[in-house]
Structures are given as C-alpha cells and as structure tokens.
C-alpha cells in the first residue's frame, strides 16, 4: 500500500477541504472560495506544503471532466426554446453587459486581447451551482424572478460551451476542426440513439455495472477525443447531452460521487497552482472584482425592467447571480496565464462571498434601495406571483 | 499583466493607451449594441395566463407545482434534486410568501393530513376507496395503546368479535410486528395499525381503546 503515500499531497489537501466544507455548510456560504483559499495557502504561494504532480493533475482533470459531463447532462435545448422570449431577453442582456464590461475592464487595465477575452468570459459566467443553492437555501424558489434566473443559468451554460469551442480551436484549421467536432458529435449521438435500450438495461442493474459504465464512458470519451485531437472538454459535454436522451437522472446519480470528490481536488489544486507574486497588480484585481459585482447589478436591473418592468426584480436577479464559480475557474485553469488565473481566482472568491451575503440579505437590500421612493404612489399591481 | 507591460506600470498610463486604441472599434460595436437593446426593450413579455395547476421542470432545481385557489391565494411546491420538498404559500395581496422545507417523510405526512382525516397528532388514518368493489371504503388507522389494556392479549379483548377490525401491525420500540397473533400481549405505548371500516374503527376506539 506504499502507493497511497505517493498521493500524500492530495490526502492533505482533501482533509483540509473536508474540514472547510463542513465549516462552509455550517455557515451556509459556498464552499468553492474556501477550496481555492486552502489551495493558495497550501501551495507555492503560501506554505508550500503541497505541490501538484501527475497524480493530482489526473484527479483534477477528472473533476473538470465530470463537471462538464454534468453540464451536458443538464443541457435541455428544447426546453430552452419553449421559454424562448424571456430566456433570450435576459440571456442577451446578461451576455452583452457583462462580456462588454469584463472585456473592456481587462483590456484597458493592461491584459492582452486574448487574456481579456478569457477574463471577460470568466467575468460573465455566474456559478450555476451557487445560484441554485442560493435560491433553495434562501427559500426564494417561488419568486417570479427565480424561473428567469434558472433559465439564465442554462443560457450561460450554452454560451460557455460556445466559448470553450472557440478557445479550444486556437490556431487550427477551423474547417478541419469543425469537421472533426461534427464527426465526434455524430458518433456520440448515433451511439446514444441506437444503443438506448442497451444503456437503459445497464442503468437498471443493481450491481457495480452502472457506476463503472458511467465512469468509463466519460473517461474513454475524453481519452479518445484527446487522441484524435478534438477538445476533450467539448466531447465530454456532448457525451452528457447525448446520454441525457436516455436517462439523465440515473447518470447524474452514478456520476455524482466522482464529480463531488474530483471537483474538490480540481478546485484546491487550482489554488495550489496559483502564483500570487508574478506581475500581479492588486489594484487591477480589485477593480475587476468590484466591476464583477456591479456589472451583474446593471445586467440584473436591465433584465428586471425588460421582463417585469421593475428594477426591484432586477435586484433580486442580481443578488442571486453575483457569484462566479466553477465555470470561471474552469476557464482559468484551461486557458489562463498565471496572472489571468490569479485574477479570476480572486474574482471568484470575492464575488461568491459577496453574492452569498447579498442573497441572504436581499430583502433588506431591496428595502434600503427602494426606501427613498416609497411615497411614489401604491405599489405596482402584482402579477400572480412575486414579491 | 500582459507581456507588453513592464511591472511598474501605472494605471493611468495604460488606460490612456488602451482607450485610444479602442476608438477604432467603437462605431461598429456601438451599432451592434444599439440594435440588440432596441430589440429587447420594444418587446414586453405578456404575463402568463392563470391555470389551475401548472407543473414544470426547472433544470438543476427539480420539479415545481403551483396552483391558485379560488380565493386568490397561491400554493407552490418544489421537489428539489437534493431530495427536500419546499412548500410556499402566498396569501392574496401579500408580497412575500412563507416557506417550509420538508423531508420526504414529512411531506408524505402532510399529504396524509390533507387527503384524509387525522384525529390526533400521533394517530393518523388513510382511507382507501376501491371503486371496482362497489365503492368499498377501507380505512387504515393508527392508535397508541392506553395503559388500561396493557397486559391483555388480542384474544382477551375479543377485538375481532366485538368490533370487526383487524390489527395488521404493531410498532414497539421502533420494531414492527406484522400480523400479530391472537396471543399477542399489549404494552402501554404500543402503536397499533388497524384496518376496518369507519364505523368499526369508531366502535374500536370507544369500546377497546378506553383509558
């Protein structure tokens, strides 16, 4: 059993993360910032206790792959189309406002064009996990804005997939690249379509087969994609989307333990890999963090006005979408240079904590913000549901 | 930050260079954004029509059920993916709903209360109607054994002969005894699960389950 010792860094990091996860659940704030901070403290910018190696980067990659697999499983393009108007309105406002502010801020503050694009994408995409948890834990599901917020997250996931595709294309021949992706997608859909009964028969079993199958399918897809030179990130999302046509809930259930454990390793080793010394300007990071909080306020209020004619609705949308999280980190880990990664890491920590507190105290926030306008006549006629 | 900037770079210096550089993009991007937002703001979403019960699947969250009562109050239920059930009620004219979060067991309990009669807090009953059997209505009811009949057996009390009901299970110290034999001895605090018609159960309650 000597092999276990080879991964002692992972054991130390995970033990620390377990303690922090308990603390974060107790305080009901998101755990992601804790994992990253733990990584920074343990890693080369901090105490230097844990360093990443081949084993840890394998596990961290697994975490990322399973996260993307879950994105694919949850991809419901048809349902998105049913909600067409509202989703499109909020999605386009959110995309334009935040991408624009994020890009301009990063570019004007001295990042290169590509770096600014990556920061803009990370700046734009809110954390789906944090948003959903916040809506459930703060008992906000019944608000009329909740549905819009949830569909906004689905829209953002779609945009993220497109961003991933664009970034992973890099300098390749675009036609060849697109061709390869389409062949890959085609194979996955044909397998899922014609193998549907086989898949369902495997999932119905009570033994180790469903879990083993899920794990191997995800890993093998990523491996094949890398071997063929197609981005594994996209193929894993596509696998999730293709498989979701059979029994997404069963796959979610079987893949969840892998995602839960490996994703923590991914976050903490992302923190470990961060270098806080090289060319980091605290002022620049601070400006980006502040803008990250306020650009979502702008997009939230615009969305609230566009959908419900109410800026207050916008506040509610804002507080639940401030937190950036897993996808921003994923972009930073995949494509970020050290300064970009550090910037995004700090942005995720700040926005997720601010978002968590803002969502908890959103009622007071709205009262405070609308206090001066109370005497402007009776409140607007309520629609069926809302605040 | 970018490779082109030396470490002691000042904010204003870089901002100036970048802003002037960006002017070349502005006319084009300005037009695009103008178009986007004019499309968005000239299209108002019509309020959704009121329906008796609507259910929908919220990605990542779970399933939502919602209905409005005749008097205009709204009830919404969410079966979340992490297994809890949240119930919201919103009184007509109120702005903030009140919410309760339940485990599946608690939710089922609430369902029992809403669908059938419940007599005491720890005694519940479920009525089942079989329409195929000439509307046979059978009730399953739970009772707690009072001290008065502790130490007696089912046979001693002549339960079947006197009331017509059947004791189908007994729960004692978190252990369940299914189909207790006539020689079964009651202890105070046993929870009984009893099956019969409503009249028979009332008889049982008044004749046997007396303190």
């Amino acid at each position: 059993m000597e092999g276990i010792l080879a991964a002692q860094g992972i054991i130390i990091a995970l033990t620390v993360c377990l303690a922090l996860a308990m603390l974060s659940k107790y305080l009901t704030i998101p755990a992601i910032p804790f994992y990253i901070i733990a990584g920074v403290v343990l890693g080369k910018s901090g105490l230097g206790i844990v360093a990443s190696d081949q084993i840890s980067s394998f596990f961290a990659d697994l975490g990322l792959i399973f996260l993307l697999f879950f994105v694919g499983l949850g991809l419901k393009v048809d349902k998105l189309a049913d909600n067409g108007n509202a989703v499109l309105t909020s999605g386009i406002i959110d995309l334009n406002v935040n991408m624009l502010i994020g890009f301009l801020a990063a570019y004007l503050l001295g990042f290169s064009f590509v770096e600014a694009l990556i920061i803009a994408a990370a700046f734009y995409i809110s954390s789906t996990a944090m948003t959903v948890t916040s809506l459930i834990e703060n008992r906000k599901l019944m608000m009329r804005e909740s549905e819009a917020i949830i569909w906004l997250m689905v829209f953002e996931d779609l945009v993220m997939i497109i961003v991933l595709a664009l970034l992973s294309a890099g300098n390749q021949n675009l036609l060849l690249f697109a061709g390869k992706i389409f062949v890959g997608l085609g194979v996955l859909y044909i397998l899922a379509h014609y193998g549907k009964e086989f898949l369902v028969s495997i999932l119905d079993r009570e033994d180790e087969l469903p879990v083993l199958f899920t794990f191997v399918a995800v890993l093998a897809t990523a491996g094949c994609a890398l071997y063929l030179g197609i981005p594994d990130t996209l193929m894993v999302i596509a696998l999730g989307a293709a498989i979701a046509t059979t029994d997404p809930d069963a796959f979610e259930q079987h893949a969840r333990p892998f995602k839960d454990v490996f994703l923590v390793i991914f976050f903490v080793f992302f923190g470990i890999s961060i270098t806080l010394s090289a060319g980091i300007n605290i002022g620049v990071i601070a400006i980006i963090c502040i803008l990250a909080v306020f650009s979502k306020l702008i997009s939230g209020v615009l969305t609230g006005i566009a959908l419900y004619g109410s800026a207050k609705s916008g506040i509610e949308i804002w507080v639940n979408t401030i937190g950036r999280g897993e996808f921003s980190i994923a972009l930073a880990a995949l494509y970020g240079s050290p300064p970009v990664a550090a910037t995004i890491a700090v942005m995720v920590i700040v926005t997720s904590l601010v978002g968590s507190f803002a969502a908890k105290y959103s009622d007071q926030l709205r009262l405070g913000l609308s206090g001066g306008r109370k005497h402007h006549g009776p409140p607007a006629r309520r629609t069926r549901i809302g605040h | 930050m970018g490779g082109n900037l030396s470490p002691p770079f000042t904010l204003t210096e870089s901002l100036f260079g970048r802003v002037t550089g960006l002017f070349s993009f502005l006319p084009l991007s300005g037009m695009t954004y103008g178009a986007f937002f004019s499309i968005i703001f000239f299209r108002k979403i019509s309020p959704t029509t009121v329906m008796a019960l609507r259910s929908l699947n919220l990605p990542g969250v779970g399933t939502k059920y919602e209905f409005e009562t005749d008097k205009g109050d709204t009830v919404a239920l969410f079966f979340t993916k992490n297994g809890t059930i949240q119930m919201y009620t919103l009184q007509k004219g109120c702005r903030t709903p009140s919410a309760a979060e339940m485990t599946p067991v608690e939710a089922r309990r609430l369902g029992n209360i809403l669908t059938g009669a419940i007599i005491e807090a720890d005694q519940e009953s479920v009525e089942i109607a079989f329409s195929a059997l000439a509307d046979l209505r059978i009730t399953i009811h739970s009772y707690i054994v009072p001290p008065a009949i502790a130490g007696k057996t089912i046979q001693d009390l002549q339960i079947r002969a006197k009331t017509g009901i059947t004791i189908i299970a007994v729960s004692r110290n978190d252990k369940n005894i299914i189909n207790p034999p006539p020689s079964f001895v009651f202890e105070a605090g046993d929870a009984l699960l009893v099956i019969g018609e409503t009249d028979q159960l009332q008889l049982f309650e008044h004749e046997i389950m007396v303190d």
Side-chain angles (χ1 to χ4, degrees):
Chain A
M1 303 290 268
E2 297 291 309
I4 301 257
L5 281 180
Q8 53 178 317
I10 298 177
I11 299 173
I12 296 170
L14 270 182
T15 313
V16 172
C17 287
L18 174 64
L20 290 173
M22 287 173 174
L23 180 71
S24 90
K25 302 294 166 203
Y26 175 74
L27 300 172
T28 61
I29 44 182
I32 295 178
F34 287 92
Y35 299 148
I36 298 169
I37 294 171
V40 173
V41 171
L42 293 173
K44 51 185 167 188
S45 300
L47 305 170
I49 298 172
V50 183
S52 46
D53 52 26
Q54 276 195 321
I55 306 172
S56 72
S57 56
F58 170 67
F59 282 134
D61 283 355
L62 279 183
L64 182 54
I65 284 173
F66 273 97
L67 170 70
L68 295 171
F69 177 64
F70 263 70
V71 172
L73 279 180
L75 213 58
K76 296 191 171 74
V77 184
D78 48 333
K79 296 254 175 65
L80 195 72
D82 291 347
N83 285 275
N85 257 359
V87 181
L88 208 63
T89 308
S90 57
I92 287 176
I93 294 177
D94 182 48
L95 173 66
N96 282 283
V97 169
N98 293 297
M99 276 276 194
L100 185 71
I101 295 180
F103 175 77
L104 286 181
Y107 190 68
L108 294 176
L109 289 170
F111 288 96
S112 73
F113 188 81
V114 177
E115 283 178 330
L117 272 184
I118 291 161
I119 291 181
F123 185 96
Y124 154 68
I125 191 152
S126 301
S127 164
T128 306
M130 286 180 202
T131 298
V132 167
T133 315
S134 150
L135 287 176
I136 293 177
E137 277 180 1
N138 295 312
R139 317 268 162 97
K140 298 270 178 160
L141 287 175
M142 196 188 178
M143 294 186 316
R144 59 175 178 182
E145 295 87 4
S146 288
E147 252 172 71
I149 295 171
I150 290 163
W151 286 110
L152 185 59
M153 293 301 113
V154 180
F155 186 93
E156 286 191 353
D157 289 357
L158 275 180
V159 175
M160 191 210 48
I161 295 170
I162 297 168
V163 169
L164 276 182
L166 291 177
L167 286 174
S168 54
N171 295 326
Q172 295 184 50
N173 180 342
L174 272 183
L175 263 181
L176 186 69
F177 180 74
K180 274 186 193 168
I181 288 185
F182 275 113
V183 171
L185 289 180
V187 170
L188 284 176
Y189 273 93
I190 289 168
L191 284 179
H193 187 76
Y194 289 101
K196 196 169 179 172
E197 280 171 23
F198 174 71
L199 284 178
V200 171
S201 76
I202 285 186
L203 287 176
D204 283 345
R205 297 178 67 100
E206 294 288 320
D207 50 19
E208 73 272 28
L209 264 188
V211 177
L212 187 63
F213 177 83
T214 311
F215 188 73
V216 173
V218 174
L219 216 61
T221 306
C224 288
L226 282 174
Y227 183 74
L228 296 173
I230 334 172
D232 52 338
T233 48
L234 287 184
M235 281 304 121
V236 172
I237 296 174
L239 174 75
I243 267 180
T245 55
T246 58
D247 189 350
D249 290 338
F251 276 109
E252 251 189 68
Q253 184 200 332
H254 298 311
R256 183 169 296 276
F258 299 122
K259 189 196 83 166
D260 286 351
V261 173
F262 296 139
L263 201 54
V264 174
I265 299 183
F266 169 71
F267 288 136
V268 71
F269 276 90
F270 171 75
I272 286 169
S273 73
I274 285 176
T275 43
L276 283 178
S277 47
I280 305 287
N281 186 319
I282 301 292
V284 168
I285 295 183
I287 293 173
I288 289 191
C289 290
I290 293 166
L291 284 175
V293 172
F294 284 98
S295 79
K296 285 277 170 183
L297 173 64
I298 299 172
S299 64
V301 167
L302 287 177
T303 308
I305 293 171
L307 289 187
Y308 308 106
S310 150
K312 278 195 204 173
S313 289
I315 303 284
E316 206 56 70
I317 296 173
W318 172 55
V319 295
N320 287 295
T321 52
I322 298 174
R324 318 298 204 281
E326 61 277 19
F327 301 126
S328 306
I329 299 291
L331 284 168
L334 284 169
Y335 301 109
S337 57
V340 171
T343 309
I344 294 177
V346 178
M347 182 183 73
V348 165
I349 293 170
V350 170
T351 55
S352 55
L353 293 178
V354 170
S356 147
F357 286 108
K360 268 190 202 134
Y361 301 106
S362 69
D363 289 340
Q364 287 90 321
L365 251 174
R366 272 185 325 165
L367 279 181
L369 285 169
S370 61
R373 289 176 284 158
K374 248 183 211 154
H375 49 276
H376 278 213
R381 226 177 70 80
R382 247 175 10 86
T383 46
R384 200 160 39 92
I385 292 193
H387 266 51
Chain B
M1 326 254 20
N4 52 342
L5 284 166
S6 49
F9 97 103
T10 64
L11 216 60
T12 41
E13 179 188 88
S14 104
L15 267 177
F16 183 73
R18 296 280 167 158
V19 169
T20 45
L22 271 174
F23 270 121
S24 49
F25 293 111
L26 276 183
L28 187 66
S29 53
M31 269 161 57
T32 333
Y33 282 102
F36 262 134
F37 284 104
S38 54
I39 290 171
I40 288 159
F41 282 99
F42 282 111
R43 202 185 45 188
K44 271 267 146 57
I45 308 261
S46 58
T48 45
T49 47
V50 178
M51 281 188 287
L53 172 73
R54 65 179 196 133
S55 81
L56 83 164
N57 211 332
L58 294 171
V61 173
T63 317
K64 169 185 183 177
Y65 297 90
E66 181 184 76
F67 73 98
E68 193 174 350
T69 63
D70 278 348
K71 291 187 174 164
D73 301 333
T74 312
V75 180
L77 285 160
F78 295 83
F79 289 76
T80 66
K81 283 210 167 155
N82 47 24
T84 60
I85 293 111
Q86 287 194 348
M87 185 175 76
Y88 294 75
T89 53
L90 181 67
Q91 196 185 334
K92 186 183 181 185
C94 271
R95 293 181 152 266
T96 332
S98 54
E101 191 169 88
M102 293 173 278
T103 64
V105 175
E106 290 161 343
R108 233 171 290 138
R109 219 180 153 80
L110 176 70
N112 282 347
I113 298 170
L114 290 172
T115 50
I118 185 149
I119 289 142
E120 278 175 42
D122 51 356
Q123 303 190 4
E124 32 192 319
S125 78
V126 184
E127 192 178 69
I128 312 164
F130 294 91
S131 47
L133 300 174
D135 264 342
L136 170 65
R137 300 178 85 83
I138 287 284
T139 305
I140 301 174
H141 200 300
S142 71
Y143 293 98
I144 306 291
V145 170
I149 61 164
K152 291 183 178 161
T153 65
I154 294 177
Q155 207 163 19
D156 292 343
L157 294 164
Q158 290 189 289
I159 289 174
R160 178 85 53 87
K162 277 187 180 169
T163 66
I165 60 96
T166 306
I167 296 173
I168 52 173
V170 181
S171 172
R172 175 182 292 168
N173 302 331
D174 289 332
K175 277 187 185 155
N176 294 324
I177 303 138
I178 308 295
N179 242 335
S183 59
F184 183 83
V185 184
F186 291 119
E187 277 179 23
D190 284 355
L192 308 182
L193 202 59
V194 169
I195 189 164
E197 287 183 84
T198 315
D199 298 349
Q200 296 174 330
L201 286 169
Q202 267 172 5
L203 201 62
F204 174 73
E205 214 173 313
H206 296 133
E207 298 283 316
I208 314 282
M209 289 282 120
V210 281
D211 287 321

